[in-house]
Structures are given as C-alpha cells and as structure tokens.
C-alpha cells in the first residue's frame, strides 16, 4: 500500500490523517458500545419476560391443582409445539423457562411445569410490542449517537490536526529560510504559540543544528579566507620576482604558474566573501542588451551576440560582468565554438557546442574544486561557476544549467552543447540588503 501511494504521488495533510484516525477510532468505539448496550438491553428485557412467564406458570399451576383444568390465558396442557429442550427439563421434574427466535428475529418466551399424571403445563407468549418498540428506539438512539460521535471526532481531528499542521508548515517555512542563508530566522520563534508540544522540541533541535552548522561554516570560511589572504603577499612577491627573470621558456612557465596561483588565491578570497553572505550589490539602471553586447564584444569579438528584446534593469554592473565573464570563460575552457550569447528581456543565455555540463553539476549545482567529468578534467579549479552562482545570488538572480540534446533523444545520447541561463529579477534585490547607487 505504501509503495502504491508513493508511486501515485499521493500526499495528505496531517489534519486529515488525524481526523481520519479519530473518526475511525470513534466509529469502532461507538459500534462496540452500541453492540454491548443493545445486547445488554435485550438480555435484560428477556430476563424480565422470563421472570414474568415463570410467575404466570406458577399461578396457572396452582389453579390447575385446584380446578383440574387450565383456566389461565395462553395455558396449554401437553402442547405438541413445546420445544424439546424445555420438555426434557420438565420431564426431569423441574419448572423451567425457554426462549426461541421466530424467523423474523422476534423472541418467543416459553414456561413449563410438570403437573399430575405426568402431564406438562406450558405457557407460550411472544415478545411484547412495547418491548420491541423500546429496543428499536434504543437502536435508533445508538445509531444517531454513533454518527454524532464520528462527526464530532472528525471535527475535533480537523481542529487539532490543523493546529499541528500550521505549526509544522511554519517550521518548514522557517527551516527553508534558514537553508537559504537567512541567519536571523529562528524556527522556534516562527511557530509561536502558547502551548508547548513536540513541535517546539523539533524547532529547538533544528535551531541548534542550524547554529552549529553556521558556526562550522563560518569557521571554515574564516580559515579559508585567512589562508588565502596570507598567501596573497608571498604569491604577489613570487610573481614580481618571476617578472625580473631573464626572458626564456623557463621564465614563461614560472610566470604562467605564478599568475595561475594568484588568480586561484583571488578566487578563493572571493568565494569566502560570498559564503559570508555579507556582500551587497551597488545597483544601477542600465540597458541589459547594450551592456552585455558591449562587454562581450570587448572581451572576445568572435563570440556571437544576439539581443532579442531590450530591457532596462536595476542591477550591479560589476557583479553582472563577473557572472557573464565567468560563464564565457567556462564555455571557452570546457566547450567548443561557436559560443553564443542571447539577451531576451531580463534573461541572458550563454551557449557553447561542447560535450555539455557533467551530470553532477546539473543535479547539484556548481561545486568548488570539482571540475566534472573526464572531458573537463585538468582544466581550472571548479571555482568559476561557483563564483558566478554566488554573485548571481547577491544580485537576487537565478542561474540555471542544462544540456542541449536533439528533440526526443534519450539521456545516453551525447549533448550538443551546454546552456547557462541567468534570470535577473524583475525588481531590485532589496531582500539581500542591496542599496541603490546614487548618481
């Protein structure tokens, strides 16, 4: 059943599950109590009827002994329809009563007693209409009461479950904000409420876990930033010293590696700053298509640029340029020409015609110091797209990645290129703490 539910993707709220559970328990309890009450009432009425029949047969027995004939209503002598079980008791010299059921379920009351000459004096009466009406009224009351219990339990379950559900939804929303990097959000404060229950324990545990993870990440970020900062001075000195070496192939190799090390240190410092969530965009109004075309043409005239629809945006031009150049550098390093840049409204697309992005990047996003598959091994440090994603986050933008495949082609067919798409926000990213840059 669980597999079927998972396969169908069914999802129900806590309030409905709790309501269904309470309604089911209430229905079971109501049915059980109704059966017990019905049987107890029926047995009590039958016992009263048997006692009454026993009293009547005793009176009939005394009258028969006096007058030698049955002179009491419904009294018979040696009734052939007398139940065999009752006849057997009477033949043993005992007075007894017996209950049988008619085809319609209405009970018959029998009473018998032995008299002189081995004969049997018996009394046969049915269940009175008044008793039947009382039992029917009782059954009707039990049914109505059971329905009321089920409906009341369902309503109570909806109310209680709704409260739990609201608290859990608030906790989930607050946890989502924490996952997005909002350091001031506390799950315990978000759920609120006066009554303390297990959701408060869960919220406190999530807050404690978030604090611990935040402290560890901050410690790692500080260590990374400190190491990169300390490396900046000796790397700069190494590059300066290498530039003083005499011209030649060894000097070129040393300069190339020194520049690569300097770029790596700068990238690590930038990643550390972005991880600190303290970066703020300096916003300006600009025409996106014109801005992208001018910057891309200045970087590489061979890149194809197409502006489908011009749009005015409010963003940080320096950070936007950083994202754009990192995407172009990644396409040039790992892809194949032609590289195409398309601007459509607030959306920028950068496409190459190489082997495509690795699967882990499509599934998890950019990861630092992870360059991907064998096709991309040995090139770069995996920081370019990480920095691009971090700068996009500061801009309030969204950066997505996908591979281009022929229409209808299965996943194992090689990609025909990689596409990185930057979605700029409609409004200035004030939620990140950005501020407009005054002219």
């Amino acid at each position: 059943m669980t597999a079927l539910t998972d396969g169908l993707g069914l999802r129900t709220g806590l309030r409905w599950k709790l309501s269904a559970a309470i309604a089911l328990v209430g229905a079971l309890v109501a049915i059980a109590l109704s059966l017990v009450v019905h049987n107890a009432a029926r047995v009590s009425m039958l016992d009263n009827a048997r006692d009454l029949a026993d009293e009547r047969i005793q009176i009939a027995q005394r009258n028969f002994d006096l007058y030698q004939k049955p002179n009491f209503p419904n009294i018979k002598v040696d009734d052939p329809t007398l139940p065999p079980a009752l006849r057997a008791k009477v033949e043993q010299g005992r007075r007894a009563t017996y209950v049988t059921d008619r085809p319609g379920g209405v009970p018959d009351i029998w009473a018998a007693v032995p008299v002189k000459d081995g004969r049997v004096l018996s009394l046969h009466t049915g269940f009175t209409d008044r008793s039947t009406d009382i039992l029917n009224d009782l059954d009707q009351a039990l049914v109505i009461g059971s329905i009321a219990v089920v409906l009341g339990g369902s309503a109570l379950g909806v109310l209680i479950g709704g409260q739990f559900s609201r608290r859990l939804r608030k906790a989930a929303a607050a946890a989502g904000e924490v996952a997005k990097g909002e350091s001031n959000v506390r799950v315990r404060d978000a759920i609120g409420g006066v009554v303390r229950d297990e959701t408060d324990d869960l919220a406190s545990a999530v807050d404690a876990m978030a604090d611990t993870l935040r402290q560890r990440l901050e410690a790692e970020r500080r260590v990374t930033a400190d190491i990169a900062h300390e490396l900046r001075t000796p790397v700069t000195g190494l590059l300066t010293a290498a530039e003083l070496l005499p011209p030649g192939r060894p000097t070129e190799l040393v300069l190339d590696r020194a520049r690569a090390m300097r770029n790596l240190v700068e990238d690590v410092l930038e990643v550390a700053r972005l991880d600190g969530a303290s970066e703020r965009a300096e916003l300006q109004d600009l025409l996106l298509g014109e801005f992208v075309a001018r910057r891309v043409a200045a970087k590489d005239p061979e890149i194809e640029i197409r502006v489908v629809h011009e749009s005015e945006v409010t963003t940080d031009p320096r950070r936007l340029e950083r994202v754009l150049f990192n995407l172009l550098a990644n396409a040039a390093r790992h892809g194949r020409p032609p590289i195409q840049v398309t601007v459509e409204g607030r959306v920028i697309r950068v496409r190459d015609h190489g082997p495509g992005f690795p699967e882990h990047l499509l599934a998890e996003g950019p990861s630092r110091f992870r360059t991907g598959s064998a096709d991309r091994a040995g090139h770069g440090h995996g920081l370019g797209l990480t920095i691009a994603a971090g700068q996009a986050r500061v801009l309030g933008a969204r950066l997505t990645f996908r591979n281009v495949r022929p229409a209808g082609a299965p996943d194992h067919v090689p990609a025909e290129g990689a596409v990185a798409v930057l979605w700029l926000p409609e409004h200035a990213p004030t939620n990140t703490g950005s501020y407009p840059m005054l002219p």
Side-chain angles (χ1 to χ4, degrees):
M1 182 64 181
T2 302
L4 177 61
T5 303
D6 294 341
L8 294 177
L10 299 178
R11 185 171 181 265
T12 56
L14 178 62
R15 68 167 66 185
W16 305 115
K17 292 180 181 178
L18 186 58
S19 176
I22 293 178
L24 179 60
V25 173
L28 293 177
V29 171
I31 291 174
L33 289 178
S34 297
L35 292 176
V36 170
V37 171
H38 174 84
N39 290 332
R42 188 174 185 274
V43 169
S44 178
M45 290 181 180
L46 288 177
D47 289 342
N48 292 335
R50 294 175 71 171
D51 292 340
L52 180 59
D54 186 59
E55 293 176 359
R56 289 180 177 179
I57 199 64
Q58 294 182 55
I59 296 174
Q61 180 186 15
R62 290 194 293 269
N63 290 342
F64 186 83
D65 292 339
L66 292 174
Y67 304 105
Q68 297 300 312
K69 62 178 182 179
N71 57 358
F72 201 82
N74 299 325
I75 294 295
K76 294 183 180 180
V77 179
D78 294 333
D79 187 356
T81 61
L82 192 67
L86 180 58
R87 184 181 295 276
K89 292 289 185 181
V90 175
E91 290 176 352
Q92 296 175 5
R94 300 168 57 184
R95 187 180 75 251
T97 59
Y98 192 75
V99 179
T100 60
D101 289 328
R102 297 178 190 173
V106 179
D108 281 342
I109 312 299
W110 296 81
V113 62
V115 292
K116 296 178 181 180
D117 303 329
R119 290 182 295 178
V120 176
L121 194 66
S122 62
L123 171 67
H124 179 204
T125 58
F127 210 45
T128 63
D129 294 337
R130 183 173 180 274
S131 299
T132 303
D133 293 340
I134 292 175
L135 199 58
N136 292 334
D137 292 341
L138 178 62
D139 292 341
Q140 184 178 4
L142 290 174
V143 170
I144 295 175
S146 299
I147 295 175
V149 168
V150 172
L151 294 179
S154 300
L156 182 62
V158 170
L159 293 176
I160 298 176
Q163 182 181 5
F164 281 126
S165 181
R166 282 192 299 272
R167 291 168 66 84
L168 290 176
R169 282 198 301 269
K170 290 179 180 178
E177 294 296 325
V178 172
K180 293 178 182 178
E182 297 292 337
S183 58
N184 296 327
V185 176
R186 306 292 295 177
V187 179
R188 176 64 193 85
D189 296 335
I191 63 176
V194 178
V195 179
R196 297 299 180 92
D197 51 29
E198 287 78 2
T199 55
D200 295 273
D201 298 335
L202 175 63
S204 300
V206 173
D207 288 337
M209 179 183 66
D211 291 339
T212 302
L213 291 177
R214 191 179 297 113
Q215 292 171 3
R216 291 183 179 179
L217 291 176
E218 180 63 22
E220 293 177 1
R221 187 194 66 81
R222 285 199 302 269
V223 169
T224 302
D226 292 343
I227 293 175
H229 188 272
E230 293 300 323
L231 286 175
R232 175 186 278 179
T233 301
V235 168
T236 302
L238 177 63
L239 182 61
T240 302
E243 291 175 347
L244 300 177
L245 294 175
R249 181 59 179 169
T251 301
E252 294 178 358
L253 293 176
V254 172
L255 283 173
D256 179 71
R257 292 299 88 194
R259 292 192 182 98
M261 185 176 295
R262 181 187 62 185
N263 293 335
L264 175 60
V265 171
E266 295 297 333
D267 287 347
V268 170
L269 279 173
E270 187 170 358
V271 169
R273 289 194 299 268
L274 292 173
D275 287 345
S278 58
E279 295 289 288
R280 296 292 180 264
E282 299 178 354
L283 303 177
Q284 294 182 10
D285 294 333
L286 53 87
L287 295 176
L288 185 60
E290 177 186 347
F291 175 85
V292 172
R294 187 170 61 252
R295 293 296 194 276
V296 173
K299 181 175 179 59
D300 188 350
E302 296 183 359
I303 297 178
E304 300 179 14
I305 307 170
R306 187 164 68 100
V307 179
V308 178
H309 175 65
E310 183 64 275
S311 176
E312 184 177 0
V313 298
T314 302
T315 188
D316 187 330
R318 180 181 65 84
R319 297 182 188 277
L320 178 59
E321 182 181 279
R322 178 65 161 154
V323 174
L324 181 61
F325 283 3
N326 278 23
L327 295 179
L328 293 175
N330 182 80
R333 182 179 296 116
H334 302 299
R336 287 193 293 267
I339 299 175
Q340 301 169 334
V341 178
T342 305
V343 180
E344 184 175 358
R346 298 176 179 275
V347 180
I348 303 175
R349 293 180 176 87
V350 178
R351 177 185 176 180
D352 62 57
H353 290 75
F357 292 113
E359 293 300 325
H360 76 84
L361 187 144
L362 297 177
E364 305 170 8
S367 300
R368 65 192 67 177
F369 300 110
R370 187 174 181 181
T371 57
S373 63
D375 294 328
R376 299 178 177 228
H379 304 284
H381 304 283
L383 295 179
L385 293 182
T386 302
I387 292 174
Q391 295 288 8
R393 186 171 58 252
V394 175
L395 295 175
R398 183 164 59 97
L399 184 60
T400 60
F401 306 92
R402 65 181 178 87
N403 291 334
V404 180
R405 286 188 171 86
D411 293 340
H412 67 272
V413 175
E416 297 179 346
V419 180
V421 185
L422 180 67
W423 311 74
L424 291 175
E426 184 177 357
H427 303 287
T430 55
N431 60 332
T432 63
S434 306
Y435 52 90
M437 188 167 187
L438 299 177

